[in-house]
């Protein structure tokens, strides 16, 4: 055992470590986690219109379970509404796409390569991995409700209305057992609103949140309003939602630029909100070989830091995103109790704070 771990283990035998909550940790995740590499035909078609767009889309991810094995504790999934099945299929040979249910596609009919084309398939992979690793730190699944499609194929994407969101909640609950989930109602408890609960520090304790999954809807206010309906907060819903800090439903925020909005992220995290930010976007940081955005993300305290480079891309050597020390989770630098340091590693048997690979 490293000397630092021995010292900490000895200290912990004298006094119990502070009980951390699930928003007191920091972890790395992936952006568009299902996305597969574009075919050369698709790449050329996009590049013919915009080389910059083709470069921005030139990334891909390994299978979801492999990402989780490697330490990702946040995954992003884009869902396309398809209640009857077959809407996004080119023909009946697309076996997964002809089945009813939500589909997981980036740009329907174009940049649509997915490691799990049906949402039910993606969720089952994550559910089974979680069940096999019951001590994992809470996994955040961030969703976009996709309403974009390649117009050259003549079909728009189906729109999300309240009926579609009701179906999305039902599909999730049909795949992942309730006992594996953390829902907004679990955090709100007896508080008047979800925001009140968050500001009072009512996120579950980390030990109670291990082995569980929670969902965040990353959308703009008009779409969030459809999902919330007339609810005061998010009563009865599956997703936490990206909204402003003053909303009664405020618990989670997407704040993508940790350089421009680092102060806001730190302020929100200290207040108790859950924040996801990005270490890179549109392949720019990887191509430039710069870690400035990652460093800002780490310092901000955002609980989840998303990347397209959980592994190094051989075409862009030298760029990879990980927490310091390559640990899976660490004590959040914006929330770490004074007795602890954000970058230390505890003995695996303690599990108060750090999850190691």
């Amino acid at each position: 055992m490293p000397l630092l771990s021995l010292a900490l283990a000895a200290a912990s035998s004298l006094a119990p470590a502070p009980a951390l909550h699930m928003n007191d940790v920091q972890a790395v995740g992936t952006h568009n986690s299902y996305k597969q590499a574009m075919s050369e035909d698709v790449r050329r078609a996009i590049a013919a219109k915009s080389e910059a767009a083709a470069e921005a889309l030139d990334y891909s991810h390994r299978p979801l379970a492999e990402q989780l094995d490697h330490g990702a504790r946040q995954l992003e999934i884009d869902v396309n509404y398809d209640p009857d099945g077959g809407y996004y299929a080119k023909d009946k040979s697309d076996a997964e796409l002809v089945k009813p249910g939500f589909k997981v596609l980036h740009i329907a009919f174009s940049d649509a390569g997915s490691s799990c084309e049906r949402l039910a398939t993606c969720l089952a992979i994550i559910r089974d991995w979680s069940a096999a690793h019951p001590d994992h730190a809470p996994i955040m699944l961030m969703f976009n409700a996709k309403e974009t499609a390649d117009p050259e194929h003549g079909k728009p994407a189906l729109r999300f209305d309240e009926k579609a969101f009701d179906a999305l909640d039902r599909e999730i609950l049909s795949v992942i057992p309730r006992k594996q989930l953390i829902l907004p109602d679990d955090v709100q408890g007896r508080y008047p609103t979800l925001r009140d609960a968050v500001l009072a520090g009512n996120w579950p304790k980390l030990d109670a949140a291990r082995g569980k999954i929670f969902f965040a809807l990353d959308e703009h206010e008009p779409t969030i309003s459809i999902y919330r309906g007339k609810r005061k907060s998010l009563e009865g819903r599956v997703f936490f939602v990206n909204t402003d800090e003053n909303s009664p439903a405020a618990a989670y925020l997407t704040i993508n630029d940790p350089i421009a909005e680092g102060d806001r992220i730190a302020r929100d995290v200290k207040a108790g909100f859950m924040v996801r930010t990005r270490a890179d976007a549109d392949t720019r940081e990887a191509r430039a070989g710069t870690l400035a955005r990652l460093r800002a993300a780490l310092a901000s305290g955002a609980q989840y830091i998303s990347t397209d480079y959980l592994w190094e891309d051989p075409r862009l050597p030298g760029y990879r995103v990980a927490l310091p020390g390559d640990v899976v989770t660490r004590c959040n630098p914006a929330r770490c109790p004074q007795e602890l340091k954000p970058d230390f590693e505890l003995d695996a048997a303690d599990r108060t704070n750090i999850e190691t690979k």
Side-chain angles (χ1 to χ4, degrees):
M1 185 185 296
L3 290 176
L4 179 58
S5 295
L6 283 169
L8 288 164
S12 68
S13 68
L14 299 175
L20 301 182
H21 289 74
M22 63 180 280
N23 61 322
D24 291 330
V25 300
Q26 189 173 60
V28 168
T30 55
H31 161 251
N32 292 342
S33 310
Y34 57 88
K35 188 179 179 302
Q36 301 297 281
M38 296 178 289
S39 69
E40 184 56 27
D41 287 345
V42 168
R43 192 204 68 77
R44 279 199 298 264
I46 293 173
K49 298 176 183 178
S50 169
E51 186 62 42
E55 281 196 357
L57 295 173
D58 191 15
Y59 63 91
S60 62
H61 291 290
R62 299 187 191 188
L64 299 182
E66 194 171 343
Q67 294 178 49
L68 292 166
D69 281 339
H70 197 64
R73 293 296 175 265
Q74 172 261 311
L75 300 174
E76 181 180 347
I77 296 177
D78 291 336
V79 286
N80 300 257
Y81 187 41
D82 188 16
D84 300 321
Y87 187 83
Y88 299 101
K90 294 179 181 177
D91 52 54
K92 291 185 178 180
S93 67
D94 291 335
E96 289 292 276
L97 295 181
V98 299
K99 296 176 183 177
F102 291 88
K103 304 304 184 298
V104 178
L105 312 166
H106 186 226
I107 302 174
F109 312 118
S110 178
D111 180 27
S114 177
S115 63
C116 45
E117 292 176 317
R118 294 172 61 232
L119 174 60
T121 303
C122 298
L123 293 176
I125 291 167
I126 297 163
R127 175 202 64 203
D128 293 348
W129 187 93
S130 174
H133 301 80
D135 290 336
H136 70 74
I139 297 168
M140 186 177 82
L141 300 184
M142 194 184 84
F143 277 41
N144 292 133
K146 296 292 280 192
E147 296 180 332
T148 55
D150 186 343
E152 289 187 1
H153 290 264
K155 275 185 175 182
L158 296 178
R159 309 289 291 180
F160 275 80
D161 55 13
E162 189 171 2
K163 180 181 177 182
F165 279 126
D166 288 346
L168 181 57
D169 277 3
R170 285 196 304 271
E171 186 158 320
I172 290 168
L173 293 171
S174 74
V175 178
I176 302 182
R178 175 66 178 86
K179 66 182 180 180
Q180 276 182 264
L181 295 173
I182 298 168
L183 302 183
D185 285 342
D186 298 330
V187 177
Q188 184 169 338
R190 297 175 180 267
Y191 287 88
T193 69
L194 182 57
R195 180 179 185 271
D196 289 331
V198 166
L199 295 181
N202 206 46
W203 288 101
K205 289 183 178 178
L206 178 59
D207 279 351
R210 288 188 181 279
K212 295 189 178 182
I213 300 162
F214 69 106
F215 289 77
L217 183 62
D218 175 30
E219 284 296 340
H220 298 294
E221 193 57 40
T223 303
I224 295 301
S225 295
I226 295 171
Y227 184 73
R228 282 183 66 193
K230 296 181 180 180
R231 296 168 181 82
K232 187 173 184 180
S233 294
L234 289 164
E235 294 81 4
R237 281 302 200 189
V238 168
F239 286 84
F240 296 88
V241 297
N242 177 35
T243 187
D244 72 84
E245 293 90 338
N246 296 315
S247 167
Y252 164 78
L253 299 108
T254 299
I255 306 177
N256 283 324
D257 190 339
I259 294 178
E261 296 195 274
D263 290 343
R264 179 190 173 196
I265 294 173
R267 185 169 60 247
D268 287 343
V269 169
K270 287 175 184 176
F273 296 108
M274 194 77 73
V275 177
R276 176 268 197 181
T277 193
R278 294 184 67 174
D280 43 70
D282 301 327
T283 74
R284 290 190 299 264
E285 285 74 19
R287 292 180 189 279
T290 175
L291 297 175
R293 186 166 175 164
L294 170 60
R295 292 191 186 101
L298 291 167
S300 73
Q303 287 90 349
Y304 293 96
I305 300 170
S306 180
T307 181
D308 289 321
Y309 300 93
L310 197 61
W311 287 270
E312 182 179 290
D313 184 331
R315 302 170 302 169
L316 302 169
Y319 184 84
R320 182 176 72 89
V321 168
L323 293 182
D326 220 17
V327 296
V328 176
T329 59
R330 69 171 185 167
C331 195
N332 192 305
R335 296 187 57 84
C336 201
Q338 191 170 7
E339 307 95 299
L340 305 179
K341 293 182 179 181
D343 56 353
F344 72 59
E345 182 176 347
L346 290 178
D347 180 75
D350 192 341
R351 290 198 358 256
T352 304
N353 174 47
I354 294 293
E355 181 187 358
T356 55
K357 291 181 184 174

